[in-house]
Amino acid sequence: MDKLLERLNERQIEAVKTTEGPLLVLAGAGSGKTTVLVNRIAYIIDKNRVAPYNILAITFTNKAANEMKERITAILGGLAGGMWIGTFHSICVKILRSCIDLLGYGRDFTIYDSADTRTLMKECIKDMDLDEKNFPVRNVLSVISSAKNDMMEAREFEKHYEGDYRMSVIAELYKRYQTRLREANAVDFDDLILLTVKILSKNPDVLMKYQSRFEYVLVDEYQDTNNTQYMLVKLLSEGCGNLCVVGDDDQSIYKFRGANVGNILSFTKDYPNAKVIRLEQNYRSTQNILNAANAVISNNSGRMGKDLWTDNGNGDKIYTYTASNEYDEGRFIAREIKKHYDKTGKYSDCAILYRMNAQSRVIEEMLMRGGIPYRVLAGLRFYDRKEIKDIIAYLRVIYNPADNLSLRRIINEPKRKIGAATVEKAQRIADANNLSMFEVISSAGEWPEMAGAAAKVKAFADMINALADLSRELTISEFVERVMIDTGYKASIEAENSIESRTRIDNLEEFMSVVCEFEGNPEYNGTLAEFLEGISLVSDIDAYDEDLDSVVMMTIHSAKGLEFPVVFLAGLEEGLFPGMRSAADEDSIEEERRLCYVAITRAKERLYLTKTTSRTIFGKTAPSIPSRFFDEVPEEYTEEAGSFRSGLAKGAAKVGVFYPERPRSRMVYERPREDNEAAAFKPGDTVEHRKFGRGRVITAQQFGSDAILQIDFESIGTKQLMAKFAKLTRVKE
């Protein structure tokens, strides 16, 4: 054991040997926190003569738990057996299996996954005769999940929102949902923690049993805990008082999942005698990368404070690039990756990080054109995302009704009450009579087998025929927009009103950028046939095996816990990163800054920061403002890698790949409101929005030359909008 500790630095050794009392280990990025946790557990068992049975270690992922078990076993061998190491959910399952009957459940309870809970909620909505468009399943479940994370059960939730019509309806759904769960002797993931906390809080004998068992409690990634997880840790550790939490307040980026950064920030208030040890030596990155990260995160006020340093040397400066647009940005990234590959022979060294999935599409196209293999981690290629494939399937059926594969994909998307049995009947008739499925459903009344569904499938066929006629009259951009609207596809996604659905709408709007660019390209005649051919050439180039050497692309959230020799952080522009929705809320800006800190600290040897002077996203082209995070990196740590103003980026001529400029002659640009118009709105104004309807301005905050308006809409509740682009009309009362 002592030989193992010799490999650790002074602060790590201190954290390992501080075994008694509350301890907060502030572990900076790349500072070896897992090594500290593993060695601390091994040290407690070896030196303190504590049985593994008396140690509880909680992680956030099964992967982390398994890695910890393997490393402890490698150190102690069989001595590590019997220790509880697992995720919050797996630990709670162990406890509930022994005592959930105290709440009226059977110990053989079932755990419902997300698909099960959606099905169950659909039934509850149907039971109450509610319109699912007004109460989307995912949205309702998200509200209920947030309530459970705040330890608010159904009756308390109902009382809290008494007088609020929409939330009162959700309260009734919450009650029905929980009743149905209980009837099925089932729990959802949120219940696992909530019910455990409830049992421990209300049953002193059960609490004593586990407090007596666990002499040492260790929690990893403490900055990501929510309120119920916080209470669970507090209850289980109060008996022994030996609570060690490891985390980094500067890497708390999961507020949207319920994480409360206040849990780690207030640790010393909760435990006044707590010791705080900062792990600031970084083993991953060069000093210039760490200097950039330190400089950015120092602008946050809600942090405990630390400065990362390393023995790895200063390394390269941070390379910056200002692109003319997103295509120029993508070309630059592709060129730099090609240069790296020419020197090292490895593509897998490189990672491209972005704030929003919609950013990936243009970068993917530039990598394809450069013949650079890539894969999208924790996400899908742009053209492989469900909503994009669905719209392309509609276009293919309109252009070629004989495309049975595409027809089967969208005949009941969105829901038209055309079931699988009906589709199979149509397929059998088509096969037997050498017809296409579209021919069968167009004349469904002539087939006895189709009598029950004839009206529904005929209505679908008529819609496709009507759209085919429109395709010959409208421009490609006008036509694709009509397809999204006339099929009801876009409206069905908007009706979900969830975080996921908003992302899907963003992707559809980004698809409109593809259409507009195609329309503006002088090489094409603007026909649907040409457009589909172009899409096929892009989306079908996917012959790369995941095991092959390839560039990795992902959102910054997906990159947490990973590291790469070369990192490109794209799109450092206001409204994109930080996002527009965060601009009016300082807490949200601080979380966005933490996200930037996470992105920077993924880089080991080389980091690129890119931004554009204009960007087309969601179908609109507008000038870009550099992100405040870009400006927060001191110039002394940066080096300009070139810009569109100074010609090609350094070394570009070595790539040997031609990337044509995006056509600019027909670029879509929506004129924003003039500054004085945007600033004219004030709290109390009644306004009308073309999509959200009537609402009242709650707050109006100046944001550069624009203004951020918080508006309470009668139909959907509160939203934040940028005044220039909201196209609001003032309503005189």
Side-chain angles (χ1 to χ4, degrees), residues 383 392 396 529-541:
Y383 292 103
I392 291 174
R396 285 175 173 168
E530 284 181 294
F531 178 68
L532 287 172
E533 181 180 331
I535 289 295
S536 296
L537 290 175
V538 172
S539 61
D540 291 342
I541 301 175

Side-chain angles (χ1 to χ4, degrees), residues 564-585:
F564 303 91
V566 182
V567 169
F568 296 84
L569 178 52
L572 276 165
E573 298 144 34
E574 291 291 315
L576 190 61
F577 188 29
M580 195 173 295
R581 295 190 184 102
S582 304
D585 179 9

Side-chain angles (χ1 to χ4, degrees), residues 329-367:
E329 179 183 55
R331 287 194 295 270
F332 168 75
I333 291 172
R335 286 195 294 262
E336 291 300 305
I337 290 173
K338 189 67 167 59
K339 286 166 57 180
H340 179 82
Y341 178 78
D342 289 343
K343 289 181 181 179
T344 66
K346 292 184 69 177
Y347 285 117
S348 57
D349 282 350
C350 302
I352 305 170
L353 309 183
Y354 36 82
R355 180 65 180 88
M356 299 171 57
N357 278 314
Q359 291 174 251
S360 73
R361 193 262 305 174
V362 171
I363 299 173
E364 287 183 55
E365 289 188 12
M366 295 300 99
L367 295 179

Side-chain angles (χ1 to χ4, degrees), residues 29 79 106 160 257 361 411 445 451 508 603 653 662-663 723:
L79 292 176
H160 183 80
R257 293 181 186 170
R361 193 262 305 174
I411 192 170
L508 288 179
R662 180 179 67 194

Side-chain angles (χ1 to χ4, degrees), residues 8 60 75 81 158 363 372 474 499 506 594 597-598 716:
L8 307 184
F60 267 83
I75 296 173
E158 180 182 40
I363 299 173
I372 297 172
L474 304 176
I499 292 174
D506 288 349
R594 293 194 293 268
Y597 174 84
V598 166
I716 60 167

Side-chain angles (χ1 to χ4, degrees), residues 252 255 300 355 577-595 628-629 720:
S252 179
K255 183 179 179 181
N300 272 7
R355 180 65 180 88
F577 188 29
M580 195 173 295
R581 295 190 184 102
S582 304
D585 179 9
E586 188 58 33
D587 287 343
S588 295
I589 286 293
E590 294 215 346
E591 174 134 343
E592 291 280 290
R593 188 174 282 111
R594 293 194 293 268
L595 193 59
R628 67 194 73 190
F629 306 147
Q720 286 184 349

Side-chain angles (χ1 to χ4, degrees), residues 28-42:
S31 62
K33 69 178 180 65
T34 303
T35 296
V36 168
L37 277 171
V38 167
N39 282 278
R40 191 172 191 275
I41 291 171

